Amino acid sequence: ADIQRLRSRIGLAYRPLDDTRLEVLAWYENRIEQKHGRSVTHLWSVDASYEADSNLRLNGKYAGQHQSYTSEIGTGGDGLTQLIQAGALYEFGDDRFQIGANAAYLWDDAGNSARGLGAEIGFVPTKGTQIGLGYHHSTGQVKGQSALYQDGFYLRLNLLLDNSLWGKLDGFLGN
């Protein structure tokens, strides 16, 4: 059986030279697969982050996917799924603590939708590390939805993986 897969992606990043508080990243991807029929998928995303002041960062996202399928005998279908997301992160206590909130809405052209809300508080015990405790709640379901949100509490650990981490590990191990 002959299988053909084509995939192409283009992206754009924007950050003004005179005001680095705004960051925008956008991309578009096209996938075509030929195997017992033809599948064409268009994916896109636009993410933006804005540093309102030295302690407050706002972010947003719009993303989508359109997929169509045509079988070898000419039957098929298509579907569109879209997502919007917004959040805020506030740092305080000499940037040692963070509190954040986010909301997301996912919907498709069949009338299905899902909503999610989340909140998190984080602590920075040392430069390059963060421990966060959060809670997510979601309602609704969209067919084929991944684990966008899972209800309940979670614990998160972030490590900055740069050269300074190796020096800290050497010091911890007594090297």
Side-chain angles (χ1 to χ4, degrees):
D2 287 340
I3 300 172
Q4 289 183 331
R5 289 189 181 129
L6 300 170
R7 180 177 169 180
S8 57
R9 179 181 276 198
I10 188 167
L12 175 70
Y14 174 73
R15 186 173 185 186
L17 293 174
D18 57 344
D19 185 3
T20 59
R21 298 180 304 162
L22 175 65
E23 298 171 341
V24 180
L25 178 64
W27 57 266
Y28 166 80
E29 183 174 323
N30 183 20
R31 296 178 188 169
I32 301 171
E33 183 171 323
Q34 186 84 32
K35 177 184 175 183
H36 310 297
R38 180 180 171 91
S39 172
V40 178
T41 305
H42 303 277
L43 302 118
W44 61 90
S45 177
V46 179
D47 295 84
S49 176
Y50 180 72
E51 190 174 305
D53 63 36
S54 63
N55 295 320
L56 179 62
R57 179 171 287 277
L58 307 171
N59 65 67
K61 177 179 200 158
Y62 168 70
Q65 173 178 324
H66 180 267
Q67 186 167 18
S68 62
Y69 177 78
T70 306
S71 72
E72 291 176 327
I73 60 170
T75 61
D78 65 340
L80 174 66
T81 304
Q82 299 175 79
L83 167 80
I84 56 172
Q85 180 271 331
L89 179 69
Y90 182 74
E91 296 178 337
F92 59 97
D94 268 342
D95 295 338
R96 301 262 329 218
F97 295 92
Q98 298 176 341
I99 189 164
N102 62 64
Y105 181 65
L106 179 71
W107 73 99
D108 65 19
D109 59 351
N112 303 304
S113 65
R115 289 163 275 312
L117 295 171
E120 179 179 299
I121 187 160
F123 171 63
V124 179
T126 184
K127 184 180 177 187
T129 62
Q130 180 192 25
I131 300 169
L133 177 64
Y135 181 78
H136 280 169
H137 177 68
S138 64
T139 59
Q141 184 73 25
V142 173
K143 186 176 181 180
Q145 173 182 334
S146 65
L148 176 66
Y149 282 97
Q150 294 180 353
D151 283 345
F153 286 96
Y154 64 89
L155 181 64
R156 182 170 56 93
L157 174 64
N158 284 349
L159 295 174
L160 177 63
L161 300 176
D162 67 357
N163 290 338
S164 68
L165 178 64
W166 302 118
K168 289 178 187 175
L169 288 174
D170 282 344
F172 177 75
L173 297 173
N175 294 336

